[in-house]
C-alpha cells in the first residue's frame, strides 16, 4: 500500500512502512497472539529488526556524505545478518519440534520453546488448594481486610488475578456464585463452560451455564 499511495516518493514510502510496522509491533506486544512463548519473542524481535532496518534506510534520504552512507550500510548488514540468524534458529527449532512431538505451548514442551521451566501441574494445583484452605479457614471474618489489601494492588496485578480466575472458571468448569466474574477472557478460546449458582423463588438453588454466544442456560438447557 505505501508503494501504491506514495508512488515515486521513496521517503514517504519508508515513513509509511515504518508507521505500519510500529503499529503491528504494538499490537503484537499487547495481544501476544502465539501460544508458544518463543514464537511471540521471535515475532517481536523480527518486527523490531525490520523497524531498525527501515530507520537506517531513512538515513539515505538526505545527503550526509560518504561516511554516513558507509555507517548506514554497515548497520544494514548487521541487521540483515541478525534476521538470517533468527530465521536459521527458527528452522532448527521447527525441525526439533517435529522430532520431539508435544503440544505446542503446553507445559510438556521443550524448555527453550517456553522460555524457561513451566511449573508442574500438581504443584499449581497444590498452590490453589493452599489458597482455598487459607481463605476458608484463616480468612473467616477478614473479608474487609482482604478487600482493602486487593485495593492496594496495581492495575496490572488486579488484571492478572482476574484473567487467572476467568481461565480457571472456563477450563475447569467451575461453579461460581451469583455476582461473580461473568466475562470470559477475550484473548483465548475456552475449553469448558462455567456454571453460576442462581437463587430460586422458594430458596432452591439452580445452575446456569454460560453458552459460547454469551447467553445463559438453566439446568434444563433453556
Amino acid at each position: 500500500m505505501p508503494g501504491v499511495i506514495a508512488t515515486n516518493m521513496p521517503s514517504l514510502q519508508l515513513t509509511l512502512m515504518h508507521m505500519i510496522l510500529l503499529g503491528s509491533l504494538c499490537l503484537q506486544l499487547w495481544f501476544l497472539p502465539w501460544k508458544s512463548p518463543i514464537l511471540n519473542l521471535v515475532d517481536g524481535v523480527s518486527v523490531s529488526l525490520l523497524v531498525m532496518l527501515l530507520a537506517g534506510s531513512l538515513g539515505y534520504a538526505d545527503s550526509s556524505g560518504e561516511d554516513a552512507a558507509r555507517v548506514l550500510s554497515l548497520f544494514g548488514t548487521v541487521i540483515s545478518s541478525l534476521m538470517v540468524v533468527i530465521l536459521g534458529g527458527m528452522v532448527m527449532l521447527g525441525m526439533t519440534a517435529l522430532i520431539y512431538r508435544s503440544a505446542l505451548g503446553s507445559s510438556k514442551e521443550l524448555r527453550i520453546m517456553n522460555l524457561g521451566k513451566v511449573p508442574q501441574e500438581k504443584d499449581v494445583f497444590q498452590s490453589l488448594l493452599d489458597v482455598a484452605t487459607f481463605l476458608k479457614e484463616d480468612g473467616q471474618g477478614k473479608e474487609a481486610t482482604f478487600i482493602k489489601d486487593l485495593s492496594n494492588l496495581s492495575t496490572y496485578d488486579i488484571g492478572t488475578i482476574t484473567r487467572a480466575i476467568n481461565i480457571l472458571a472456563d477450563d475447569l468448569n467451575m461453579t461460581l456464585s451469583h455476582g461473580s466474574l461473568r466475562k470470559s477472557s477475550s484473548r483465548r478460546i475456552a475449553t469448558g463452560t462455567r456454571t453460576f449458582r442462581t437463587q430460586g423463588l422458594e430458596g432452591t438453588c439452580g445452575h446456569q451455564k454460560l453458552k459460547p454466544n454469551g447467553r445463559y442456560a438453566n439446568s434444563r438447557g433453556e
Side-chain angles (χ1 to χ4, degrees), residues 23-216:
S24 173
L25 180 61
C26 291
L27 293 175
Q28 195 271 336
L29 292 176
W30 175 255
F31 288 104
L32 297 176
W34 307 109
K35 188 175 182 180
S36 180
I38 187 65
L39 295 181
N40 286 308
L41 175 63
V42 170
D43 194 2
V45 172
S46 300
V47 176
S48 300
L49 291 175
L50 284 174
V51 171
M52 294 181 191
L53 193 61
L54 284 176
S57 301
L58 289 173
Y60 289 99
D62 59 352
S63 300
S64 300
E66 294 183 359
D67 293 336
R70 191 179 303 110
V71 172
L72 291 174
S73 178
L74 178 61
F75 178 75
T77 301
V78 172
I79 296 296
S80 300
S81 300
L82 289 176
M83 295 180 67
V84 172
V85 170
I86 291 177
L87 179 61
M90 286 307 301
V91 171
M92 293 180 60
L93 289 177
M95 294 176 63
T96 304
L98 291 177
I99 299 174
Y100 183 82
R101 302 187 65 85
S102 61
L104 189 63
S106 68
S107 59
K108 298 179 179 61
E109 185 59 89
L110 293 174
R111 182 176 297 188
I112 189 174
M113 293 291 189
N114 292 327
L115 299 180
K117 184 178 180 180
V118 178
Q120 295 294 324
E121 293 84 353
K122 61 180 181 180
D123 296 334
V124 176
F125 181 71
Q126 184 60 48
S127 299
L128 290 175
L129 287 180
D130 293 339
V131 173
T133 302
F134 170 74
L135 293 177
K136 184 177 180 180
E137 297 180 357
D138 301 334
Q140 295 295 333
K142 298 181 180 179
E143 290 82 0
T145 302
F146 291 157
I147 293 175
K148 183 179 179 181
D149 292 338
L150 287 174
S151 65
N152 295 327
L153 296 178
S154 67
T155 303
Y156 294 103
D157 293 338
I158 291 293
T160 300
I161 294 173
T162 303
R163 286 191 293 272
I165 295 175
N166 276 319
I167 292 173
L168 292 174
D170 289 334
D171 290 2
L172 300 184
N173 299 320
M174 289 177 57
T175 300
L176 303 179
S177 61
H178 181 72
S180 298
L181 299 174
R182 288 176 173 261
K183 184 178 181 182
S184 300
S185 176
S186 59
R187 301 186 189 180
R188 61 187 305 275
I189 299 176
T191 59
T193 56
R194 65 180 68 182
T195 305
F196 296 96
R197 299 188 185 93
T198 57
Q199 191 71 21
L201 296 177
E202 299 179 357
T204 58
C205 292
H207 295 84
Q208 286 184 330
K209 290 186 177 181
L210 181 62
K211 293 182 176 180
N213 60 6
R215 298 181 179 180
Y216 296 93

